Amino acid sequence: MTSDANLKQPAFAPDAAWQGDVRAGVRHVRDLAALPLSPAERGAAQKAAASHKVRVPKAYLDLIDWSDPNDPIRAQVIPSPDELIAAEGELDDPIGDHAYSPVPRLTHRHADRVLLFPTYQCAVYCRFCFRKESLTSIGRGYTREALEPALAYIAGHEEIREVILTGGDPLSLPDKALAEIRARIEAIPHVRLLRIHTRVPVALPSRITAGLVAALQGRLLVTVVTHFNHPREITGEAETACRTMRQAGFVLLNQSVLLKGVNDHVEVLEELCRELMYRLGVKPYYLHHGDLTRGMAHRRTTIAEGQALVAELRHRLSGICNPTYVIDLPEGGGKVPLAASHIDGRDGETWRIRGQDGKVREYREVVG
């Protein structure tokens, strides 16, 4: 059996940098004692972290303004006692992964693509994560044997064109493991695209090394979906990481989560989306409405609030900078756009459509 331990690469300088960043951060509940928290805050954080894992690399900790109790970076990773308050209607499996998992470590919800979970471990554990229950209870790393049923399933279903590595964070794995996984997937002829969902370029940008890029390059088109939620996460190190991936030919997209007290102001989202596109070369892809994750009512906005925000973004930003506001429906209903419709009505071939200026205009279809 191949474990995380015996897949570690020699400590070349680039790898030593990111591995040192992880070691210098918060990795266990006991590490919270070293943070500049009041005794009451520390006790509350430790209690919450005992229920759901805590891990924060030093690079991300360094972004926190500890003098601000409402700091948006702090809100995403430092445990809060509010997480222990489960509201009625919240779910252990908010988007219905389990019902669509025919074999271990794989979810097949949509016909032409699957989610593959090479690891259930992360470089950073976000407090709002919709898989936090699974990550805390499973917590397993990568082994070749564990992925065999999932890879056999992909090989046996020719309708699958896209494999999405998620988890856990796939880029928390060593280069050797990533190269093995990529090689196994690209050996399946009907698979055409490898997509990677990761928080690493945000929280641990030093992990994006030449070795990591080489591990992912091959026959398949590679798309990396990052997870920036706030403009303060867009640092020089993150910019370098994204440039490295762009120069390797990877397509870069970003999905954010709309979080109360973090990014639920139009000015914050405007700066985030503009800097993602113009500075990092990362297309804003999705803005997720907060999932029904247990203990996250204090970070969830209303749908109407989200619709108002994205409507204002349409006025302020170029189309290429605008994400699609979506909700991931429970019970496997998938991602559904939530933006308000511009269709005001219809009379035969004449449609009434509201423009970006708010005025309703008639548009008559002319077809052959």
Side-chain angles (χ1 to χ4, degrees):
M1 182 167 292
T2 305
S3 67
D4 283 341
N6 60 29
L7 279 172
K8 287 182 179 177
Q9 299 294 290
F12 298 118
D15 289 332
W18 71 263
Q19 291 167 356
D21 194 347
V22 171
R23 287 191 295 270
V26 170
R27 293 189 292 165
H28 307 284
V29 175
R30 61 179 177 270
D31 295 334
L32 294 169
L35 300 182
L37 300 169
S38 70
E41 289 173 327
R42 185 175 300 112
Q46 289 170 334
K47 185 176 180 181
S51 295
H52 300 294
K53 286 183 177 179
V54 61
R55 181 177 295 164
V56 192
K58 185 177 185 301
Y60 199 74
L61 281 176
D62 288 346
L63 300 181
I64 296 174
D65 177 2
W66 293 103
S67 67
D68 180 5
N70 298 313
D71 179 81
I73 309 299
R74 173 177 173 166
Q76 295 183 65
V77 293
I78 301 302
S80 162
D82 291 332
E83 297 173 36
L84 302 177
I85 305 171
E88 184 178 355
E90 293 182 325
L91 304 168
D92 289 336
D93 183 17
I95 68 171
D97 278 343
H98 302 332
Y100 291 86
S101 296
V103 296
R105 296 194 180 229
L106 181 139
T107 296
H108 192 181
R109 186 180 293 109
H110 306 289
D112 66 344
R113 56 202 183 274
V114 296
L115 302 177
L116 182 65
F117 302 85
T119 180
Y120 290 98
Q121 298 174 351
C122 289
V124 59
Y125 288 111
C126 304
R127 309 318 300 174
F128 53 86
C129 178
F130 66 90
R131 291 198 180 103
K132 65 192 298 182
E133 301 285 347
S134 295
L135 300 183
T136 294
S137 61
I138 300 174
R140 294 190 296 267
Y142 166 69
T143 68
R144 294 188 187 98
E145 291 80 359
L147 285 187
E148 288 301 331
L151 293 169
Y153 180 92
I154 296 168
H157 287 73
E158 295 187 0
E159 72 274 19
I160 296 171
R161 297 287 181 269
E162 184 173 338
V163 175
I164 302 165
L165 300 186
T166 184
D169 194 318
L171 296 192
S172 66
L173 292 173
D175 296 346
K176 182 179 178 182
L178 290 170
E180 290 175 345
I181 295 165
R182 185 263 309 156
R184 290 295 305 277
I185 294 170
E186 72 178 11
I188 301 171
H190 51 265
V191 177
R192 302 181 64 182
L193 186 143
L194 180 66
R195 196 199 312 179
I196 298 162
H197 287 191
T198 179
R199 189 91 152 115
V200 158
V202 184
L204 188 62
S206 57
R207 173 68 187 99
I208 308 300
T209 63
L212 181 144
V213 166
L216 297 174
Q217 288 179 314
R219 173 182 68 83
L220 300 171
L221 178 67
V222 175
T223 298
V224 177
V225 182
T226 62
H227 188 166
F228 291 86
N229 286 325
H230 193 277
R232 278 196 16 224
E233 296 171 333
I234 299 177
T235 63
E237 292 76 14
E239 183 177 4
T240 298
C242 290
R243 183 184 304 115
T244 297
M245 292 187 290
R246 288 203 327 270
Q247 291 174 344
F250 299 169
V251 177
L252 301 186
L253 306 172
N254 185 74
Q255 55 183 355
S256 302
V257 178
L258 182 58
L259 296 166
K260 185 186 295 185
V262 173
N263 58 11
D264 59 331
H265 295 281
V266 69
E267 293 80 10
V268 173
L269 289 174
E270 178 185 9
E271 183 181 358
L272 171 66
C273 293
R274 182 175 283 123
E275 293 305 298
L276 280 168
M277 190 71 247
Y278 295 163
R279 181 177 174 185
L280 301 189
V282 178
K283 168 72 177 83
Y285 173 43
Y286 283 143
L287 175 63
H288 286 267
H289 185 72
D291 294 310
L292 294 174
T293 306
R294 289 194 189 278
M296 281 294 109
H298 65 292
R299 293 292 173 210
R300 205 174 294 119
T301 70
T302 66
I303 291 175
E305 288 170 333
Q307 288 177 322
L309 285 169
V310 296
E312 182 62 25
L313 284 180
R314 295 290 304 177
H315 291 293
R316 298 184 179 213
L317 293 172
S318 160
I320 200 171
C321 295
N322 270 279
T324 301
Y325 180 41
V326 296
I327 187 168
D328 216 329
L329 290 172
E331 301 178 358
K335 294 180 180 66
V336 178
L338 284 173
S341 174
H342 285 256
I343 305 300
D344 191 67
R346 177 186 179 185
D347 184 11
E349 295 177 345
T350 300
W351 294 75
R352 294 185 300 278
I353 303 175
R354 186 176 295 101
Q356 290 193 19
D357 58 3
K359 295 179 180 179
V360 176
R361 296 171 172 83
E362 290 190 346
Y363 176 88
R364 191 172 75 86
E365 292 182 298
V366 180
V367 295

